[in-house]
Amino acid sequence: MNVVVCVKQVPDTSDPDVEVHIDSSGKGVDESKFSFVINDADNYAVEEAILLKEKHEGEVTVVNIGPEAANQVVRMALAKGGDQAIRLDDERFAFSDITATARLLASAIGDLEFDIVMTGCIASDDGYSAVGVTLAQMLDLPHAAMVKSVEVIGDNKLKVGRELEGGLLEMLEIETPCVLTIQTGINEPRYASFKGIRAASKKEIKVMDLEATGLSEDQVGEAGSTAVMVEYSVPVVGELAEILEGDAAETSVKLSGILKEKGLV
Amino acid sequence: MHDIFVLAEHREGELREVTLEILTLAGQLAEQSGGKVTAVLLGSGIDEYAGKCASFADRVLVVDDPMYKDYNSAAYQQALVELIKAEKPHLVLIGNTGQGVDLAPSLAVELDVPYTSDVVSVTLEGDKPVATRQYYGGKIDGRIEFKDADVYVLAIREASTPAGEGGKSGEIQKIDNPVTTEVTVRKFLEYVEAAIGEVDITQSTMLVSVGRGIRDEKNMPIMEELAEAMGADLSASRAVVDAGWLPTDRQVGISGKTVSPKLYLAVGISGAFQHVTGIKGADVVVAINKDPDAPIFQYADYGIVDDLLKVVPALTEKIKEMKG
C-alpha cells in the first residue's frame, strides 16, 4: 500500500497572540511575526498514511509546495515514518489558486506509483477544502472528501467514512487508486521519535522547480489561475459583545452579577 | 445565457435548508442579470422536494432514478456535466457542505471552468461573478475575481444568505437520466448516525464550552469546576474533541451538535464559522478569549478579553459564593 500525502505549511494563527495584518501589496499578510506549522488536517493525513503503511507495508511519499523553510514540516513527516519527499519550489508558483495548486501537485504525483493520495480536507489559512478533490479529477481518479475512517477491504477497495453535518457518517466503498481528503480527529497523530528525526535528516527531499514539473509558466501561479484572490480587506464587523473591563477579579464579579440578574445562576 | 443552476441537496428523506438559501441567493442574482433560476434535483422518489424547490425557482429540473437515491459524487458529477453541457447555465451554485466540497471541485475540473469555494457573498459585475470569501479563520476577507468563462462554479457557505419566503411557482420538468452506465468506482453503503453519550448537549439549558485556548488537557479540570458550579453541561469546539479531551458527542458546530441553551459560555473559542453556526439558538452568549479580534466577540452578548486561566477560577469562586 503506497501512499502519497500532501502537506502544507501554514501560519499558526490559532495562537491568540498572533494578529493577522494585510501587507502593503493588499494581496498578502504580514508574516514577520508568524510561526509556521503543518496544517492541522494534513497532520492527521500524515498519521493515517503511516498507519496504513504500518498495517499493509509499502511506502509513504510526502509532497509539499513551499519554500525551503517548509522543509521543517516535510522533515517532521519523514521523521514520523515517511520514506521520501518532493518539494515544489519556484517563485513562479506564488498566488496559485485551487486549480493551479492542484495542477502542480498532479505534475509531481502523476508519475509516482501509489494506491492512495491523501490531503488534509481543509487548510487553516485559505479554507478552500478543494485542492484534494480537484487533484483527484486531474489525475482522473475517484475521490472521497472529509474522510473520518479508512479500512482496506480488498485488493483494490477501501471502505471509508465521510463526515457530514451533525457528525453523520456516510459510509462508502471506493476503488483504488484514489484520493482521500482527511478530516481532523480521524486518529491521534504521533510525535516523532528522536531516532526518527535523526533518520529523517538522511532521507531525500527532491526539489522540483517549474522546469522539472514540465508545466509552462502560464499554467502556474496567478497566470495559471482562474479564480484569483485579488484583494484582502478587513471584514466589516457587526455589533460586538459588551466587553467587561478590568482584571480577572473585577470581570468575574461583573459577569457573575449579569448572570444572576438574568436568572442564569 | 444568464441562467443560474442550483443543485438541490437532500439527505435521509429531507430537502436540506441550504438548498432554499442558495435558491434565494440565485433569485437575487437573477433579478439583477435577467436570467432564470433552475433548481437541479437528482434523487429517487423526490416529488415533494420538487414542489418545495418550485416555490423558489423558475424551473425545477428533476432526474428521478434509483441511481441518485443516496448521494454518490461519481454519479452526481456525470449527471451534472451532461445537464450543464446541454443547458449552458452561466452560474452553477452548490452548497459548501459535506456533499458540495466532495463534488463541486471535480465537477469544475471536468467542465474546465473556474471554481471557488466557501463563498459568503456574490455580486455580478457586468456579466461576471465576483465572490467574497474568508481567510485566516475569518480574520480577513478576500475578493475573488474570475477569468472569463462561459460557466462559473461556486460553492456557497451554508447560512450565508437567509432563505426567503419563496412564492414562485416554477415549472417542474422531469427528464430522463442522462447517465446510462452504472457507476462502479464509488458505491454508497449507508449512513451511520453519531452516537449520543451520557449527556445530550442539544437538550442542555446551560453550556460551558471549551476551545483550543485551554491549550492543555491538564487545564480541563478548571472548566469542569466552572460547569459544576454553574450547574451547566460541558461542551467543546472541534479542536478539543480532536485532541481527545472530551468525547465527540460534546462537539458544538456544523459537524457536531446544534445547541440552544439559555446560556452559552464560550471559553477559549475563537468563533470560527463552523462553530458559531451551532450556537445560533442560544439565548445569551458570553465569550472569554485572550484575543480581542477573535470572531466570537461578534456573536457574543458579553465578552471578557483576558487569559481564561485567570478568569475561569475567579468566576467559579464568585458563582460558588453567590450560590452560598
Side-chain angles (χ1 to χ4, degrees), chain B residues 184-236:
Chain B
T184 56
V185 291
R186 176 169 156 167
K187 200 172 101 189
F188 173 85
L189 298 174
E190 60 173 337
Y191 290 118
V192 178
E193 299 285 344
I196 292 173
E198 54 189 61
V199 175
D200 180 1
I201 58 169
T202 65
Q203 302 300 317
S204 302
T205 51
M206 306 266 281
L207 281 173
V208 170
S209 205
V210 52
R212 195 189 290 270
I214 193 77
R215 282 170 187 259
D216 198 313
E217 192 172 14
K218 73 176 183 355
N219 296 325
M220 288 296 287
I222 63 167
M223 299 305 303
E224 288 158 15
E225 283 157 26
L226 176 61
E228 200 190 328
M230 293 181 66
D233 293 318
L234 206 51
S235 58

Side-chain angles (χ1 to χ4, degrees), chain B residues 96 108 119 269:
Chain B
N96 195 76
V119 169
I269 291 176

Side-chain angles (χ1 to χ4, degrees), chain B residues 92-115:
Chain B
V92 177
L93 306 182
I94 295 176
N96 195 76
T97 56
Q99 177 175 311
V101 300
D102 187 61
L103 172 66
S106 48
L107 172 68
V109 175
E110 189 172 353
L111 292 167
D112 195 19
V113 301
Y115 168 70

Side-chain angles (χ1 to χ4, degrees), chain B residues 222-264:
Chain B
I222 63 167
M223 299 305 303
E224 288 158 15
E225 283 157 26
L226 176 61
E228 200 190 328
M230 293 181 66
D233 293 318
L234 206 51
S235 58
S237 71
R238 173 158 209 128
V240 167
V241 170
D242 282 348
W245 302 340
L246 276 177
T248 311
D249 57 22
R250 302 293 183 107
Q251 185 178 325
V252 174
I254 284 192
S255 49
K257 301 280 186 289
T258 300
V259 297
S260 47
K262 288 202 169 91
L263 173 67
Y264 189 80

Side-chain angles (χ1 to χ4, degrees), chain A residues 125 128 143 166 184 225 264, chain B residues 102 117 136 147 186 206 242 254:
Chain A
D125 53 358
Y128 280 124
H143 68 263
T184 59
S225 298
L264 295 167
Chain B
D102 187 61
S117 62
Y136 299 99
K147 296 237 167 104
R186 176 169 156 167
M206 306 266 281
D242 282 348
I254 284 192

Side-chain angles (χ1 to χ4, degrees), chain A residues 25-178:
Chain A
S25 76
K27 293 169 62 173
V29 296
D30 175 10
E31 299 190 338
S32 61
K33 293 200 180 79
F34 287 168
S35 58
F36 288 88
V37 292
I38 186 170
N39 177 50
D40 199 25
D42 302 355
N43 197 30
Y44 288 88
V46 168
E47 180 64 27
E48 201 60 24
I50 295 168
L51 288 172
L52 280 175
K53 168 186 149 169
E54 287 171 345
K55 204 166 171 189
H56 303 281
E57 300 189 336
E59 294 201 330
V60 171
T61 303
V62 180
V63 180
N64 166 264
I65 304 173
E68 201 174 343
N71 273 351
Q72 178 210 167
V73 300
V74 174
R75 288 253 178 251
M76 197 48 76
L78 293 174
K80 291 177 177 189
D83 295 281
Q84 61 264 324
I86 298 170
R87 185 167 55 79
L88 293 135
D89 183 5
D90 197 307
E91 282 177 358
R92 292 167 285 186
F93 299 162
F95 301 111
S96 290
D97 72 348
I98 295 165
T99 311
T101 301
R103 188 179 289 129
L104 279 169
L105 292 172
S107 77
I109 294 170
D111 295 332
L112 304 177
E113 277 186 29
F114 59 84
D115 301 286
I116 308 175
V117 178
M118 290 185 180
T119 68
C121 70
I122 189 168
S124 63
D125 53 358
D126 59 40
Y128 280 124
S129 290
V131 168
V133 175
T134 304
L135 171 66
Q137 187 68 36
M138 287 178 176
L139 295 172
D140 202 17
L141 296 177
H143 68 263
M146 324 283 272
V147 169
K148 200 75 188 283
S149 71
V150 180
E151 187 190 343
V152 178
I153 54 167
D155 278 348
N156 294 303
K157 207 173 265 183
L158 306 175
K159 181 178 178 180
V160 307
R162 299 201 315 112
E163 187 186 77
L164 304 175
E165 291 75 13
L168 187 70
L169 279 185
E170 175 192 314
M171 304 305 300
L172 58 95
E173 272 180 23
I174 189 166
E175 288 178 7
T176 58
C178 64

Side-chain angles (χ1 to χ4, degrees), chain B residues 279-306:
Chain B
I279 64 171
K280 291 232 166 81
D283 289 344
V284 177
V285 176
V286 179
I288 301 173
N289 202 299
K290 224 174 130 180
D291 179 1
D293 297 327
I296 190 72
F297 291 118
Q298 297 170 37
Y299 301 92
D301 301 290
Y302 300 95
I304 296 175
V305 180
D306 202 348

